[in-house]
Amino acid sequence: MRRPLVRRLAAVAAAAVLASLVAGCGSDEDDAGLVIYSGRNEKLVKPLLEDLEKAIGTTVAVRYGDSAELSAQILEEGEKTKAGLFFSQDAGALGALSTQGRLQKLPQASLDRVEAAFRGGNGDWVGTSGRVRVIAYNPGKVAKAPDSVHELTKPEWKGKIGYVPTNASFQSFVTGMRVLEGDDATRTWLKGLKANDAKVYENNLKVLEAVGEGEVSLGLVNHYYWYEQVAEKGEDKVGAKIHFLPGGDPGALVNAAGVGILKGSKQAPVAQKAVDFLLSKQAQTYFAEETKEYPLAAGVTSTVKGLPPLKSLESPKIDLGQLESLQETLKMLQDVGMV
C-alpha cells in the first residue's frame, strides 16, 4: 500500500530514517561502486539488480523506497547525495528531478533505444518498462465495461467501484488528467467518484480480488496485476477481466518506470553501464516475463499471452515528464477527502 499524504509530504524530514533503509545487492553505500535509489519494489526488481551488479562488474548498493520520497530526498541532498542512479517506478518523479536540473544528459545511443514518448524531453532520463491503466470488471455483474473513466461518476455505478487513492499509479493517472483536462475538470471528477461511494482498498491486488469476488463490479488498476494473477492461478481461477480503454481516455494512461543518472556524480561512468544493462535484451525480457510489463527498448516485445501490443493501445498523448506535479495532485486528493 502506498503511504498516505502526511508521510509523503514528510519525505524530506524522514531522509535520515530512509538513509538507514539500505538494502539490495551491496551491503554498504560508502563502499559501493554504484548506489541506486530505487522506487521500484524490492520484490520485483532485486533479482534483476543482482544480475546488474554482475553485468557492470562493480559492487552495487540499493536503497529502496517510494519514488516520490526518494526524488524529494535527492533534491534535499543536492550534490552531497550518495546516489549515482535513480530507478523510478514513475516518470513523474524523474520529471521532477529533470525540472530541477539534477539529472545528467544521457548518450543519444541510449535514448534512441526507446521511443521519444517514453523518455525525458531534456534527454536526461529514459523509460525501462511501461504499464497501462485499465478497468477491471466482473463479467457476471457487468455486460460491458465502461469505455471512459468519466462514466464512473454516473449513478449506475454507485457503490460498485474499487480503487486505491494512495497508490502512486492512481495518483499519476490523476496528474495526467490534470495535464490533459485541467485542474477544475479533474477536481470535479474526483468529487463525483467519491460521491458515488467508490470503495477504497489498500492495494491493487485487493481491488482485483474484490472485483473477482463480486464485492464491487469495477476496479481501477494497472494491467500487469491481472496478468500476474493469471500466470499464478490460471485465467479460469481469476474472476475479474480487464478492459483497455479506447479513444485516448485519461484512464488509459501508459506510464513508464525509468532511470536517470545524477548530475555531477562520480559514479556516472558505471551508472551509464547500469542504464545500458536495464535497456539490454536480458533486462527487457525480465520486465516482459517476470513483471508482466511492457518492455520499452527496441528489439524486445512482450510474450505475455493476450496482452495487446503497446502500439495498439489508444492511450492519451502526454509528455510523461509533465507528471512531475505530484504535490499539487496530492493536495487536490486531500482537498476532496480521498487521502
Side-chain angles (χ1 to χ4, degrees):
M1 179 177 68
R2 296 293 171 188
R3 302 178 183 182
L5 176 66
V6 64
R7 296 179 68 187
R8 284 175 175 270
L9 295 180
V12 173
V17 177
L18 282 173
S20 68
L21 302 178
V22 179
C25 310
S27 59
D28 189 339
E29 289 179 359
D30 294 325
D31 297 331
L34 176 63
V35 177
I36 299 175
Y37 282 13
S38 175
R40 301 235 55 189
N41 186 282
E42 181 175 4
K43 292 181 180 179
L44 288 179
V45 301
K46 184 176 180 181
L48 180 64
L49 295 185
E50 289 174 343
D51 289 341
L52 180 151
E53 182 178 51
K54 297 173 186 175
I56 67 176
T58 192
T59 304
V60 175
V62 186
R63 180 181 299 185
Y64 292 99
D66 177 271
S67 291
E69 290 180 352
L70 290 173
S71 178
Q73 185 178 348
I74 289 169
L75 291 175
E76 174 68 11
E77 292 172 346
E79 295 181 358
K80 295 181 180 180
T81 184
K82 294 182 178 180
L85 186 75
F86 180 42
F87 187 15
S88 178
Q89 177 194 339
D90 179 81
L94 287 159
L97 293 181
S98 177
T99 299
Q100 296 299 316
R102 291 294 296 120
L103 298 179
Q104 174 177 306
K105 186 171 176 58
L106 297 173
Q108 195 62 41
S110 297
L111 295 170
D112 286 345
R113 298 200 61 190
V114 175
E115 288 187 21
F118 300 110
R119 61 186 196 233
N122 294 326
D124 53 7
W125 66 265
V126 64
T128 53
S129 60
R131 58 189 182 275
V132 58
R133 298 291 292 174
V134 296
I135 291 182
Y137 66 98
N138 185 306
K141 291 181 170 291
V142 179
K144 181 181 182 298
D147 280 336
S148 172
V149 291
H150 288 296
E151 295 183 37
L152 303 184
T153 59
K154 293 181 178 180
E156 64 193 273
W157 300 117
K158 189 174 182 65
K160 299 179 180 180
I161 303 164
Y163 76 127
V164 190
T166 55
N167 178 261
S169 291
F170 176 83
Q171 293 173 0
S172 292
F173 143 66
V174 173
T175 305
M177 182 182 281
R178 289 179 47 236
V179 172
L180 291 164
E181 301 182 359
D183 283 0
D184 290 344
T186 302
R187 185 179 294 104
T188 297
W189 182 82
L190 290 171
K191 288 180 177 179
L193 186 67
K194 183 174 173 56
N196 224 15
D197 292 335
K199 295 184 179 181
V200 175
Y201 290 87
E202 62 178 317
N203 58 52
N204 284 282
L205 283 176
K206 293 293 185 183
V207 171
L208 198 60
E209 290 172 1
V211 173
E213 293 169 0
E215 185 176 313
V216 289
S217 299
L218 306 174
L220 296 171
V221 297
N222 286 334
H223 81 275
Y224 58 82
Y225 291 102
W226 187 81
Y227 287 97
E228 287 174 348
Q229 288 292 292
V230 168
E232 179 183 337
K233 301 177 180 180
E235 187 170 351
D236 60 328
K237 298 293 194 301
V238 179
K241 303 293 184 183
I242 56 173
H243 178 52
F244 291 80
L245 301 177
D249 190 80
L253 177 72
V254 178
N255 202 348
V259 286
I261 298 172
L262 276 299
K263 182 176 286 187
S265 173
K266 295 180 180 178
Q267 303 168 37
V270 70
Q272 181 58 51
K273 291 182 180 180
V275 170
D276 291 336
F277 173 81
L278 290 170
L279 297 176
S280 70
K281 182 176 180 180
Q282 178 182 347
Q284 292 292 296
T285 300
Y286 180 92
F287 293 129
E289 295 181 353
E290 299 299 325
T291 67
K292 314 302 181 189
E293 296 173 284
Y294 284 98
L296 293 181
V300 180
T301 56
S302 175
T303 57
V304 175
K305 182 181 178 181
L307 182 64
L310 183 59
K311 288 184 180 296
S312 73
L313 301 179
E314 298 181 31
S315 58
K317 305 303 180 185
I318 187 172
D319 177 355
L320 293 179
Q322 290 184 291
L323 301 181
E324 54 87 20
S325 58
L326 178 62
Q327 295 301 325
E328 289 86 346
T329 295
L330 290 172
K331 185 177 186 307
M332 184 179 291
L333 291 170
Q334 185 183 42
D335 289 344
V336 301
M338 284 186 165
V339 295

